[in-house]
Amino acid sequence: EDKKFTVAYIAPSLDIDYWQWVAHGVQQKAKDLGMNYVEYTSENSPAKQMDNARVAVTRGVNAVVIGPVSSTSTPPLLAYLAQQKVPVAFAGIGPQPGQTNYTSSVTANNYETGLAQGKYTCELAKERGGKEVGMLSLPQDRENAQKYLKGAKEAFQANGCELVQMLETKGLTINEAVTQANDLLTAHPNVKAIYGMYDQAGSGAAKALATRGLTGKVGVTVADGSPTTIQLLKDGAIQGIFFQEAVGQGIDATEQVYKALKGEKTTQNMALVMPLVKAADISSDAAKKVIARVFPQ
Amino acid sequence: MLDADLPLLSVRNLQKSFGATRVLRGVNFTVRAGQIHALLGGNGAGKSTMIRIMTGGIRKDDGEIMLGSQRGAEPKIAIVHQELALVQDLSVAENIAMVHATAGLTIVRAGQRAELAYNALALLDPHLARSALHRKAADLSMHEGQIVEIARALSIGADVLLLDEPTANLTAGETERLFAVLRRLVRETGIGIVFVSHRMKEIRQLCDVCTIIRDGLTVVDATPLDSLTDNDIMQQMGQPGAREVAHSRRRFDMAEAGLVLKGAEAVIPIHKGQILGLAGSPAGPSQVIALLNGTGRSSSWSLDAKGWPARPASPRDAVALGIGYVSGDRRHKGVLAQLPIVDNVLASRRVREKRYMVRASERRECLDLVHALKLKAGSIRDLPSTLSGGNQQKLLIARWLGMSLRLVVFEEPTRGVDIGTKRDIYDLIRRMAEEGTIVVWWSTENVELLELCDEILAFDTDGRVKGLLPHDRFNEDALADLTGMAA
Amino acid sequence: MTSNDSLPPAPRAPSILSAYRSEMAIAIACIALLVGVGIFVPAALSAGNFANILQASAPLVIMSLGVLVVIITGGIDLSVGSIFSLTGMVTALAMANGFGDVSASLAGLGVGLVFGSINGALITLVGLAPFVVTLITYAVAASLAFIVTNGRSLGVDSPDYWLFNSGQIIPGLPNFVLFCLLFTVALEFVLRKVTAGRWFYSVGSSPMAAYLLGIPVKRTRFAAYVISGTMASFAGLLTVSYILNAEATAGASLMLQAIAAVVIGGASLSGGSGSAVGAVLGALMITIIQNGVNLIGINSFWQGSVTGLAILVAVLIDRFSHR
Amino acid sequence: MTSNDSLPPAPRAPSILSAYRSEMAIAIACIALLVGVGIFVPAALSAGNFANILQASAPLVIMSLGVLVVIITGGIDLSVGSIFSLTGMVTALAMANGFGDVSASLAGLGVGLVFGSINGALITLVGLAPFVVTLITYAVAASLAFIVTNGRSLGVDSPDYWLFNSGQIIPGLPNFVLFCLLFTVALEFVLRKVTAGRWFYSVGSSPMAAYLLGIPVKRTRFAAYVISGTMASFAGLLTVSYILNAEATAGASLMLQAIAAVVIGGASLSGGSGSAVGAVLGALMITIIQNGVNLIGINSFWQGSVTGLAILVAVLIDRFSHR
Ligand SMILES: Nc1ncnc2c1ncn2[C@@H]1O[C@H](COP(=O)(O)OP(=O)(O)OP(=O)(O)O)[C@@H](O)[C@H]1O
Ligand SMILES: Nc1ncnc2c1ncn2[C@@H]1O[C@H](COP(=O)(O)OP(=O)(O)OP(=O)(O)O)[C@@H](O)[C@H]1O
Ligand SMILES: [Mg+2]
Ligand SMILES: [Mg+2]
């Protein structure tokens, strides 16, 4: 090769670690493949996202990996990148249904995960002698949050649990989640399990339970996974983590655009399942392999 | 007692420029113990600038400031600024006590503070001392604020008192009381006082010597006032001398329909082209003014005139009816501080004449007005804050010149204006009247009213109407008696 | 003595150039920034990148013009970002419910009109502080942006709606540029040459003096908030037409940027000063900085610092060039 | 003029009760809100929920007190949220690098001290507008919070660090409550009874007059920003000690809340007024509203609207009770 390819990663925001881990995956893989790497942030604004894509093209990047602000924000972006003949892969959040002019979409299967996590949360509640569950949710303006919720609700219903309260965060911080978990437990003292839809929600719920002496007496499940929640899982403050492979999504998406640049065959839709890891299994080799694809070690 | 010749504070060859404007070009000035020293000069001569340099308020460009004191140490200096320096959100007591606590980490004792403030105020105005200690400064009228400020300066126990137009906001009675206090202070403690004023009568009443600055230089240096005639002084200030021929009294047309001012105690017909003076402390006149300028929705006065409502509902209504208004409180009620001179001058025209667009001809219009008033400014794009007080005042009057107005309300329009300018303003007011505009004019300077008005409506200190003086009964003592301001 | 020889020199009438001195300084700073970036990334000076910058700045330019008017009156408008977002949601929702492009856009503009009027009414009629009132409408409009679609982002299906932003009423000149030019020229004209425009400054400078001069203080301030809200809505429409998508969080970062643009443009937050040209240049400068940061490929974490420091340099230059 | 022996003594100062009238109104509104929520969710009036509210409000209370000082001087501090975040990151990072609890906390407090000093210096020495300066430091500090740990959140391993927030120096009184009480009482005392405290009001009310009176205007304003920054840092420490975890975005939502708290507490953004007790009550009211919204289970999309409208009601009541 005479010329090095450049891949750009466009993150929706810097609010949560998750997108930084995806970035890490993209960067890692780009290095392995001998590509240059640049990154942009859209600050949750679709206009900024579009501007980022245009700047990337101006700068001469060859491929784009993107976590879009929302699925619906993608059509003009895809049209533009297609016109510029830049291969694009999604990581974390996919394109709007019906779109086809992209290379690949690597996402978690949020609906299936919602089902599984709902089922497991309900089990935890029943083990603890109740059927009321609470939820600390991502903002419901996000597609993935809506899918998680849909799956979880179906699972609760199917398994005989009652979702007595769902609180959405705005700031995605542990501090906010602690306050919400406290409020949830005050309003609904009979809640026996809490479904945390994002990593900080799990940490927050565990913290609130610890200060009330309820650790283990109220079950906690969490999606995403991080060093913090893994520690909490080991300590028994959380009963299960549904790992979302942030780094893995970055790696896979980068691999797909690289293949497209090389003219190799690509896979358009990759919906990754989110494996559940319980406290007992956290030190297993299988779990370690999963975690390696979750956050940078 | 004191060494009467001891220089307490002096400046040599003081220089100061603002941008390209050289304000002070080498001023000399000395304050001595036991002296009341008049500092004179036209508007913009640099008096306030010099005073503020002496107290460290602004930096000098060049020159020397020398301090001496009969007590050996640096003299304590107290200053009354031309523009009121009261902290609006604090109480009167606190405003006075503030200057006594110079260390930040001292604890405020409310009782002590009130006592201090009370004693300071009682010296000048026992009534105010009893009623106003806990009022916010923002709620004070301008002349109450002025008294508080003077009281504060006196309470410091300074060796040098710098009073920059302290009487501009005072009534004759209040001025009398202030002078008595100042004379006693000088006699008993031997301090030095610098007094700035544009009122010749007051200067002669109070001061021993005078210094005159003009074009940034000292032209008269600490000369006894007795050795100078009024004409000498004005000449040195570069002001036109008093006119030999008093304006012949113009007669206004008694037949021409004007309007009728109706109050609880009096019904006063005013004729077209008449100048009606309002005399007395603010309580009474302010009611009439509020009625006329549209801010007195609950004023006890009302109007009776063909085609006019009983009360203009708002200033806009008043302007639409053809009522102009000029206040001496230029900072709050007058200038548009951040707009250039041209907008300041034309704002009223645009409203009154419903000009929807800013016309190119307005620049010419503004230049003419500014020129006609001999307004001292660099450019019509300058901001009013760069003008001296008197020039700002002219700006406000310029707003209403040459417009078809039915009535103009002047609220102490010559406050802080130098003698020459004052004459210009009198002329302007006369000319407005001659063109048929009714002039209602409140002044605390009775001499001024007597010189200019056709009739004077006098109020006592509680705001009650004391009577209407027709021109043929004009007499200084009678007016002083009526307004309760007899010396 | 004759009084005439003591006449002061006649004040000068100023030149237009001197009136725009500080705007020129910002323009030069913008060019310097662009050239500086161009040294690292030559593509920064390409026509394509100029197009990027114009497109990226258009909503901010228009929003800043509205905010400028409020700031001239001595007020502040924190609600513009939320109005921007809500406008997009309402417009997209209206389209999704079968409204045509025009009627849906008018519904969107209605958001700014209504919220601007609420701001104006609470500030002038009730007498509440602008910061408080617009903080409240900021929160309410932001929350409504989620409520109207239950938090979902909405795509715009109408095939021609992009023409509003990128079509060319004047051939060769994309509409978004046309709108920016139009609004800037119109506002600059109003602010300088229309009596009511001068009232904004009067009210911001000395409300009491303005009131006594017969200037309709309340109406003027009211108008400022309505203009600000409506411009924010227009900016929102422009973005929807560009992205063909509406997002509840779309405008979140714009409010502080718009205020910063106005301030960089030379307006004082205490009111009474500022110009449309200045505000536009301020908005352009912010966009150029962000564009440069992206082009050079500065790590996202550093972007806030770089933007912040660039604004600091801009205001410092302005500060010292005025001394 | 004769002596004043015959004059009656000076009038007495207004009573303390009347001085705290508007604070009482807010306190009553807080209680009314709590009781209102209690009708729907009886648990709202439980001791446990009061503990929730106190714990949730503690950082906001402390941050609001700092912001209050700045607002009294007629300024504004937009940087407090970012300082809060950065403090947490620096403290946790210091601990991760082997610093002890105390030295790491001091390093964290240093963030507020340094940024407060930068704010103060740029505002007083250079003469830039507070809004602009603190907007810049807001951006820079927020960006640094990501940079210091390369965007990672950090846990705190030190086993005793929670004692700082939840330990009990005075048995039965958790430290976070103690700190809130201490700061409130101390600040209220300084603001009312110490000369320098009165300077804050003087500078905010009439800066020119304050200057002419010989009040050290610059030093006073400088001090206000240092206090504000340091209090924000302290609030950040308190949160880290509670959560035992530091995140770069932890304080993002706090800045507007703190300003809202101060305003609800009766301070005017044009300076010269406000009290520590009022600001604390304002912070409590915001927390109580959020707590109520959560307890009742109102959809979080509505939270902004509900909070906004509650603030509106608070300021309206304040407005009309003052007429
Ligand atoms: N901050 C400033 N910037 C520019 N020019 C100024 C400033 N302050 C004062 N000047 C100018 O300095 C000159 C002297 O002003 P100063 O206020 O000292 O006059 P003064 O003698 O006190 O007049 P007056 O009798 O009207 O009070 C005036 O021409 C004024 O325009
Ligand atoms: N009596 C008064 N004295 C001083 N200031 C006042 C007075 N009345 C009103 N104001 C101030 O002037 C402002 C304008 O008041 P006004 O009612 O004249 O507004 P307006 O613009 O004429 O209203 P509109 O356009 O609805 O007729 C008010 O916001 C208030 O702050
Ligand atoms: Mg003067
Ligand atoms: Mg009106």
Side-chain angles (χ1 to χ4, degrees):
Chain A
E1 318 286 332
D2 3 324
K3 185 175 164 289
K4 256 178 135 184
F5 288 128
T6 301
V7 60
Y9 172 58
I10 303 179
S13 71
L14 287 173
D15 290 355
I16 33 181
D17 295 349
Y18 189 84
W19 301 116
Q20 297 159 28
W21 297 345
V22 175
H24 181 82
V26 177
Q27 192 168 12
Q28 236 12 77
K29 190 72 187 175
K31 204 170 145 199
D32 292 349
L33 296 172
M35 297 164 89
N36 288 324
Y37 168 85
V38 289
E39 69 182 39
Y40 305 103
T41 309
S42 304
E43 294 164 18
N44 289 320
S45 152
K48 187 85 202 288
Q49 173 176 293
M50 188 71 193
D51 296 333
N52 285 336
R54 294 175 62 143
V55 166
V57 169
T58 302
R59 204 165 172 253
V61 306
N62 308 92
V64 168
V65 173
I66 185 171
V69 171
S70 68
S71 300
T72 52
S73 69
T74 54
L77 183 99
L78 289 178
Y80 174 72
L81 290 176
Q83 182 205 334
Q84 302 290 332
K85 302 204 167 35
V86 174
V88 52
F90 290 86
I93 296 175
Q96 187 171 21
Q99 297 285 311
T100 52
N101 48 355
Y102 60 91
T103 305
S104 182
S105 166
V106 187
T107 56
N109 192 328
N110 300 114
Y111 170 71
E112 291 292 340
T113 307
L115 267 179
Q117 196 178 347
K119 180 159 170 283
Y120 183 54
T121 308
C122 190
E123 265 172 38
L124 290 177
K126 286 188 171 157
E127 277 170 19
R128 287 161 179 75
K131 62 181 179 64
E132 288 189 11
V133 294
M135 181 186 282
L136 299 179
S137 167
L138 287 169
Q140 281 292 323
D141 58 323
R142 303 177 183 213
E143 239 101 339
N144 57 345
Q146 293 158 11
K147 287 181 185 159
Y148 275 130
L149 179 62
K150 183 163 180 286
K153 273 185 171 167
E154 286 174 15
F156 291 148
Q157 189 145 32
N159 293 281
C161 276
E162 188 192 348
L163 176 62
V164 291
Q165 192 165 39
M166 179 192 81
L167 293 174
E168 287 164 70
T169 185
K170 277 211 281 303
L172 296 167
T173 65
I174 300 177
N175 194 26
E176 202 173 341
V178 175
T179 304
Q180 288 191 331
N182 266 326
D183 292 342
L184 190 151
L185 290 164
T186 301
H188 301 279
N190 293 325
V191 160
K192 289 296 175 209
I194 295 175
Y195 179 116
M197 201 183 279
Y198 55 103
D199 205 65
Q200 290 82 350
S203 312
K207 173 79 199 172
L209 291 173
T211 51
R212 292 165 172 255
L214 291 175
T215 302
K217 295 189 180 118
V218 175
V220 178
T221 66
V222 63
D224 291 352
S226 72
T228 308
T229 40
I230 288 173
Q231 189 57 46
L232 289 167
L233 186 73
K234 288 180 179 163
D235 297 345
I238 287 179
Q239 281 68 41
I241 301 175
F242 289 78
F243 280 106
Q244 180 162 210
E245 300 171 324
V247 174
Q249 288 174 353
I251 290 173
D252 294 352
T254 311
E255 187 169 26
Q256 292 298 317
V257 285
Y258 184 73
K259 281 183 176 170
L261 288 173
K262 289 283 182 187
E264 293 167 21
K265 194 169 169 308
T266 57
T267 315
Q268 196 167 36
N269 285 301
M270 303 172 68
L272 309 178
V273 287
M274 290 173 61
L276 167 64
V277 176
K278 301 182 189 177
D281 313 323
I282 189 67
S283 301
S284 68
D285 283 344
K288 279 187 179 140
K289 257 173 95 182
V290 169
I291 293 168
R293 276 172 60 87
V294 174
F295 51 80
Q297 303 301 309
Chain B
M1 191 179 71
L2 57 108
D3 175 0
D5 256 5
L6 184 75
L8 295 175
L9 175 60
S10 58
V11 299
R12 287 281 124 237
N13 191 31
L14 200 62
Q15 304 190 27
K16 176 75 190 173
S17 304
F18 291 105
T21 331
R22 284 190 76 191
V23 178
L24 303 178
R25 301 193 294 162
V27 169
N28 299 325
F29 182 63
T30 306
V31 193
R32 290 175 196 280
Q35 237 180 24
I36 303 187
H37 196 147
L39 175 60
L40 306 179
N43 287 134
K47 305 180 293 295
S48 303
T49 305
M50 185 178 86
I51 285 177
R52 288 175 59 189
I53 290 175
M54 291 196 292
T55 55
I58 44 183
R59 258 197 296 267
K60 60 176 194 277
D61 292 345
D62 203 0
E64 266 181 286
I65 303 177
M66 284 158 294
L67 302 167
S69 163
Q70 63 225 60
R71 293 175 203 157
E74 281 203 350
K76 252 193 198 168
I77 302 173
I79 175 167
V80 169
H81 293 277
Q82 183 170 12
E83 307 294 343
L84 291 187
L86 294 176
V87 177
Q88 299 294 312
D89 284 318
L90 298 189
S91 69
V92 167
E94 223 174 341
N95 262 291
I96 292 177
M98 187 65 83
V99 293
H100 292 266
T102 43
L105 296 178
T106 50
I107 289 175
V108 177
R109 297 225 173 70
Q112 237 173 41
R113 180 170 77 192
E115 197 182 314
L116 183 84
Y118 180 82
N119 291 336
L121 263 181
L123 192 66
L124 285 172
D125 190 337
H127 176 72
L128 199 63
R130 276 192 299 277
S131 64
L133 281 193
H134 302 293
R135 273 161 67 194
K136 271 215 270 179
D139 301 333
L140 298 177
S141 72
M142 239 185 139
H143 84 131
E144 286 170 333
Q146 185 74 67
I147 292 171
V148 170
E149 188 148 343
I150 297 170
R152 178 173 64 195
L154 294 182
S155 73
I156 295 175
D159 304 287
V160 182
L161 259 181
L162 306 174
L163 307 175
D164 195 354
E165 303 195 34
T167 55
N169 302 313
L170 297 186
T171 62
E174 287 158 351
T175 302
E176 277 299 327
R177 242 174 307 159
L178 171 66
F179 286 4
V181 173
L182 293 181
R183 279 194 213 99
R184 202 183 65 209
L185 263 177
V186 171
R187 203 172 51 239
E188 290 174 3
T189 64
I191 65 170
I193 294 181
V194 176
F195 180 79
V196 181
S197 170
H198 293 293
R199 299 175 179 173
M200 195 60 78
K201 193 179 144 204
E202 284 179 357
I203 294 161
R204 292 219 173 264
Q205 233 178 323
L206 182 70
C207 303
D208 309 318
V209 296
C210 81
T211 290
I212 299 178
I213 53 181
R214 176 181 172 187
D215 297 336
L217 293 168
T218 304
V219 290
V220 171
D221 193 0
T223 308
L225 266 167
D226 300 335
S227 65
L228 297 165
T229 65
D230 281 7
N231 249 341
D232 293 339
I233 292 175
M234 296 216 265
Q235 201 161 359
Q236 292 294 348
M237 282 166 58
Q239 309 262 348
R243 291 196 181 86
E244 312 304 321
V245 238
H247 266 254
S248 59
R249 286 225 18 88
R250 171 196 46 77
R251 355 208 107 258
F252 51 86
D253 190 349
M254 296 294 282
E256 192 81 54
L259 54 83
V260 180
L261 260 181
K262 294 201 290 194
E265 301 144 323
V267 174
I268 295 141
I270 318 179
H271 304 273
K272 222 178 144 185
Q274 179 177 350
I275 303 176
L276 174 70
L278 305 176
S281 55
S286 66
Q287 289 284 313
V288 177
I289 291 168
L291 162 76
L292 293 172
N293 74 10
T295 58
R297 268 162 248 197
S298 54
S299 165
S300 56
W301 292 83
S302 64
L303 280 174
D304 189 0
K306 214 167 59 196
W308 280 22
R311 291 193 177 87
S314 66
R316 192 141 44 94
D317 206 9
V319 172
L321 290 170
I323 302 176
Y325 169 69
V326 175
S327 171
D329 185 358
R330 37 184 183 264
R331 191 148 57 128
H332 297 108
K333 302 186 188 171
V335 294
L336 301 167
Q338 298 180 55
L339 272 75
I341 290 173
V342 55
D343 282 304
N344 264 285
V345 169
L346 286 151
S348 54
R349 284 171 164 48
R350 293 179 188 151
V351 174
R352 168 96 179 100
E353 295 170 10
K354 296 208 164 45
R355 299 184 186 175
Y356 296 114
M357 306 296 282
V358 173
R359 301 174 187 162
S361 61
E362 286 184 349
R363 231 180 296 153
R364 183 77 256 156
E365 206 175 344
C366 177
L367 279 172
D368 289 345
L369 283 167
V370 159
H371 218 135
L373 266 70
K374 295 174 210 148
L375 200 145
K376 216 168 141 185
S379 135
I380 59 170
R381 284 252 151 236
D382 284 355
L383 297 184
S385 58
T386 62
L387 301 181
S388 75
N391 280 308
Q392 288 184 25
Q393 201 62 48
K394 285 189 187 173
L395 202 63
L396 303 189
I397 296 175
R399 280 180 180 161
W400 305 104
L401 286 182
M403 255 197 283
S404 68
L405 290 178
R406 293 173 67 180
L407 190 154
V408 194
V409 186
F410 288 101
E411 185 178 34
E412 296 235 69
T414 59
R415 188 178 270 159
V417 167
D418 67 27
I419 302 172
T421 312
K422 237 183 244 181
R423 302 216 161 274
D424 294 341
I425 291 177
Y426 297 163
D427 280 344
L428 291 167
I429 292 176
R430 277 202 197 91
R431 223 179 305 152
M432 282 178 136
E434 272 158 18
E435 281 158 17
T437 307
I438 295 173
V439 174
V440 175
W441 182 21
W442 171 47
S443 171
T444 47
E445 257 186 286
N446 288 347
V447 209
E448 196 175 76
L449 291 174
L450 293 167
E451 182 179 339
L452 208 67
C453 297
D454 300 312
E455 281 184 328
I456 298 175
L457 185 59
F459 295 83
D460 67 10
T461 45
D462 296 325
R464 279 186 302 260
V465 173
K466 291 306 276 187
L468 185 66
L469 271 186
H471 192 260
D472 48 20
R473 280 180 40 212
F474 274 15
N475 166 330
E476 217 169 313
D477 293 335
L479 190 55
D481 276 343
L482 275 180
T483 54
M485 290 177 177
Chain C
M1 77 186 271
T2 57
S3 54
N4 257 7
D5 42 30
S6 64
L7 250 186
R12 282 168 288 115
S15 79
I16 280 286
L17 261 189
S18 76
Y20 280 105
R21 229 185 39 179
S22 82
E23 282 83 357
M24 303 254 287
I26 312 167
I28 291 169
C30 285
I31 294 170
L33 271 169
L34 260 178
V35 172
V37 175
I39 293 173
F40 295 99
V41 187
L45 301 173
S46 65
N49 195 47
F50 292 151
N52 288 352
I53 291 174
L54 287 180
Q55 175 67 68
S57 65
L60 184 60
V61 163
I62 288 172
M63 186 182 276
S64 302
L65 288 173
V67 171
L68 168 75
V69 179
V70 165
I71 286 179
I72 289 176
T73 66
I76 190 106
D77 193 345
L78 306 179
S79 67
V80 284
S82 305
I83 289 176
F84 178 100
S85 307
L86 181 57
T87 299
M89 298 311 285
V90 166
T91 308
L93 190 67
M95 287 190 187
N97 285 304
F99 281 71
D101 291 3
V102 174
S103 50
S105 301
L106 289 178
L109 275 183
V111 169
L113 205 66
V114 168
F115 272 88
S117 304
I118 293 174
N119 285 338
L122 286 173
I123 291 164
T124 61
L125 301 181
V126 184
L128 299 178
F131 197 100
V132 183
V133 168
T134 59
L135 184 63
I136 291 168
T137 47
Y138 153 85
V140 171
S143 141
L144 282 176
F146 285 95
I147 293 169
V148 284
T149 64
N150 215 2
R152 257 151 251 237
S153 61
L154 281 177
V156 168
D157 268 341
S158 172
D160 287 338
Y161 197 56
W162 65 274
L163 283 168
F164 177 53
N165 176 72
S166 313
Q168 305 187 347
I169 298 175
I170 296 173
L173 192 71
N175 288 348
F176 66 87
V177 182
L178 179 69
F179 287 134
C180 286
L181 286 175
L182 264 182
F183 280 123
T184 308
V185 171
L187 187 62
E188 186 74 15
F189 178 78
V190 167
L191 288 177
R192 300 195 139 247
K193 294 291 170 201
V194 177
T195 298
R198 304 309 292 165
W199 288 348
F200 291 119
Y201 293 91
S202 309
V203 166
S205 169
S206 323
M208 187 67 194
Y211 173 70
L212 290 168
L213 271 168
I215 291 172
V217 175
K218 287 186 182 175
R219 248 187 275 166
T220 304
R221 299 178 75 197
F222 188 89
Y225 291 92
V226 172
I227 291 173
S228 177
T230 311
M231 300 280 268
S233 265
F234 194 90
L237 284 185
L238 217 52
T239 300
V240 170
S241 157
Y242 173 41
I243 307 295
L244 299 178
N245 171 271
E247 199 86 39
T249 53
S253 62
L254 282 176
M255 173 257 285
L256 285 177
Q257 285 183 26
I259 297 173
V262 170
V263 170
I264 294 175
S268 147
L269 285 166
S270 51
S273 68
S275 79
V277 175
V280 169
L281 288 169
L284 276 175
M285 176 178 279
I286 290 177
T287 314
I288 288 173
I289 292 170
Q290 289 178 344
N291 175 267
V293 163
N294 277 338
L295 280 181
I296 297 177
I298 295 173
N299 179 313
S300 319
F301 296 155
W302 285 91
Q303 293 199 1
S305 291
V306 172
T307 310
L309 293 177
I311 295 178
L312 178 62
V313 171
V315 290
L316 281 179
I317 289 173
D318 185 59
R319 179 84 189 82
F320 288 103
S321 70
H322 274 231
R323 278 226 171 131
Chain D
M1 204 157 166
T2 55
S3 80
N4 317 311
D5 299 336
S6 57
L7 289 171
R12 282 199 307 166
S15 78
I16 282 286
L17 262 188
S18 77
Y20 280 106
R21 231 184 39 181
S22 81
E23 282 83 357
M24 304 256 286
I26 313 167
I28 291 168
C30 285
I31 294 171
L33 272 169
L34 261 178
V35 172
V37 175
I39 294 171
F40 295 97
V41 186
L45 301 173
S46 66
N49 194 47
F50 292 153
N52 287 352
I53 291 174
L54 287 181
Q55 174 67 68
S57 66
L60 183 60
V61 162
I62 288 171
M63 185 183 277
S64 302
L65 288 174
V67 171
L68 168 75
V69 178
V70 165
I71 287 180
I72 289 177
T73 65
I76 190 104
D77 192 346
L78 306 178
S79 66
V80 285
S82 305
I83 289 177
F84 179 100
S85 307
L86 181 56
T87 299
M89 299 311 285
V90 167
T91 308
L93 191 65
M95 287 191 188
N97 285 306
F99 281 71
D101 291 5
V102 174
S103 50
S105 301
L106 289 177
L109 276 183
V111 170
L113 205 64
V114 168
F115 272 89
S117 304
I118 294 174
N119 285 339
L122 288 173
I123 291 165
T124 60
L125 302 182
V126 185
L128 299 178
F131 197 100
V132 183
V133 169
T134 58
L135 185 63
I136 290 168
T137 46
Y138 152 85
V140 172
S143 142
L144 282 176
F146 283 98
I147 292 169
V148 285
T149 64
N150 215 1
R152 261 152 246 224
S153 61
L154 279 178
V156 168
D157 267 342
S158 172
D160 287 337
Y161 198 56
W162 64 274
L163 283 168
F164 178 54
N165 177 71
S166 312
Q168 305 188 349
I169 297 174
I170 295 173
L173 192 71
N175 288 348
F176 66 87
V177 182
L178 178 69
F179 287 134
C180 287
L181 287 175
L182 264 183
F183 281 124
T184 310
V185 171
L187 186 62
E188 186 76 13
F189 178 77
V190 168
L191 288 178
R192 299 195 139 248
K193 292 291 171 197
V194 177
T195 300
R198 305 309 292 167
W199 287 351
F200 291 120
Y201 291 91
S202 307
V203 167
S205 171
S206 318
M208 191 62 203
Y211 173 70
L212 293 174
L213 286 182
I215 292 173
V217 174
K218 288 187 179 176
R219 241 185 291 159
T220 305
R221 298 178 76 198
F222 187 88
Y225 290 91
V226 172
I227 291 172
S228 178
T230 311
M231 299 281 268
S233 265
F234 194 91
L237 284 186
L238 218 52
T239 300
V240 170
S241 156
Y242 175 43
I243 307 293
L244 298 178
N245 190 286
E247 290 167 283
T249 54
S253 61
L254 283 176
M255 173 257 286
L256 284 177
Q257 284 183 27
I259 297 173
V262 171
V263 170
I264 294 176
S268 149
L269 285 164
S270 48
S273 68
S275 78
V277 175
V280 169
L281 288 168
L284 277 174
M285 177 180 274
I286 290 177
T287 314
I288 288 173
I289 291 169
Q290 290 177 343
N291 174 265
V293 165
N294 282 342
L295 284 182
I296 297 176
I298 297 173
N299 180 319
S300 75
F301 296 157
W302 287 92
Q303 284 202 14
S305 292
V306 172
T307 311
L309 294 177
I311 296 177
L312 179 62
V313 171
V315 289
L316 281 178
I317 289 174
D318 186 58
R319 178 87 187 80
F320 288 103
S321 69
H322 275 229
R323 276 225 171 130

